[in-house]
Amino acid sequence: MVEDQLVERNIKDLGVLEVMSRLPRHLFVPDYLGHKSYGQHPLPIGHHQTISQPYAQAVMTQALRLTGNERVLEIGTGSGYQTALLAELSAHVFTIERLKPLGQRAKTLLEKLGYTNINYRFCDGTYGWQNMGPYDAILFAAGSPEMPKALVDQLAMNGRLVGPVGPEGAQQLVMLTRTEAGISKKELGDCNFVPLIGKFGHPPCGGANEQKPF
Ligand code: SAH
């Protein structure tokens, strides 16, 4: 997976490559899909959500330029695989998942794998997690019609924020950096993520698993 999908497609961050070469990705997908978990595709993880393909996870993580000292905010825990990647490469991860059964399953697995530098919350992550901020890096792993303003506000000086923005079917992976001169923006390419649903994302549809923000 690392050679064919990541090195081959220009992922250069040695930390990202090293961690992805040893994380047991098959544990993060349903058992019946374990044999497909290292392939070049997203996979269903239940509740109409997906684990992103390895390349997308590598691109987003590489964009954050983690050195091991950062406080990181992640929106969309999903399977927990990206959370593990962030936890390996930073000091502390604050992760939010709006669908409690998914977030709880990821939490149980990550605790079993021994991660102690992760805090979990099950609610609408488009508000961010203000009292724990600001963050050196923020990643949202679901597509938002606009850049969620609350997340930009929680970005520390020199902090990096990455996530998919745009209408469904025409998303761009966008990266923002907060500098002394203001916010700078870079587009990293086309992408296709499940929708970010919440106050500052797509409107909620009111299903049984809807979690009210704090
Ligand atoms: N990085 C995860 C991606 C999961 S898909 C992985 O690779 O497994 C995106 C996740 O974002 C879904 O689990 C979805 O429920 C969650 N999500 C969507 N809108 C959200 C919101 N407003 N707050 C928190 N999580 C959200």
Side-chain angles (χ1 to χ4, degrees), residues 49-52 57 76 78-79 82 97-98 102 124-125 141 197:
Q49 306 304 320
T50 55
I51 178 173
S52 309
Q57 295 173 319
S79 69
Q82 178 93 58
E97 170 57 54
R98 83 180 247 283
L102 269 185
D124 176 4
I197 296 175

Side-chain angles (χ1 to χ4, degrees), residues 131-197:
N131 60 330
M132 293 296 181
Y135 302 95
D136 307 299
I138 302 179
L139 181 155
F140 57 99
S144 182
E146 314 258 338
M147 182 58 77
K149 184 177 175 316
L151 301 187
V152 182
D153 290 344
Q154 290 168 34
L155 197 56
M157 185 52 68
N158 298 318
R160 286 83 61 194
L161 190 170
V162 69
V165 178
E168 278 180 79
Q171 297 169 356
Q172 268 290 321
L173 196 56
V174 174
M175 151 138 189
L176 300 185
T177 307
R178 184 183 291 283
T179 69
E180 297 285 354
I183 301 281
S184 76
K185 178 179 168 185
K186 195 170 157 191
E187 295 195 337
L188 304 179
D190 297 339
C191 56
N192 186 16
F193 283 75
V194 295
L196 183 76
I197 296 175

Side-chain angles (χ1 to χ4, degrees), residues 56-72:
Q57 295 173 319
V59 168
M60 288 198 289
T61 311
Q62 175 168 271
L64 296 177
R65 300 196 305 274
L66 299 174
T67 63
N69 300 319
E70 295 80 4
R71 288 165 70 82
V72 181

Side-chain angles (χ1 to χ4, degrees), residues 89-148:
L89 294 166
S90 70
H92 203 99
V93 180
F94 298 84
T95 188
I96 309 179
E97 170 57 54
R98 83 180 247 283
L99 299 176
K100 191 167 184 184
L102 269 185
Q104 189 59 58
R105 192 173 69 196
K107 177 174 189 270
T108 303
L109 174 59
L110 291 163
E111 285 176 349
K112 198 167 138 203
L113 292 174
Y115 292 99
T116 54
N117 61 339
I118 306 173
N119 281 50
Y120 305 83
R121 186 165 234 186
F122 311 123
C123 62
D124 176 4
T126 63
Y127 290 88
W129 191 333
Q130 197 178 2
N131 60 330
M132 293 296 181
Y135 302 95
D136 307 299
I138 302 179
L139 181 155
F140 57 99
S144 182
E146 314 258 338
M147 182 58 77

Side-chain angles (χ1 to χ4, degrees), residues 22-48:
R22 68 177 157 79
L23 273 187
R25 191 174 167 86
H26 56 279
L27 299 182
F28 292 84
V29 303
D31 284 348
Y32 77 99
L33 290 171
H35 64 293
K36 289 190 167 173
S37 63
Y38 296 86
Q40 193 165 348
H41 38 238
L43 286 174
I45 54 171
H47 304 273
H48 305 289

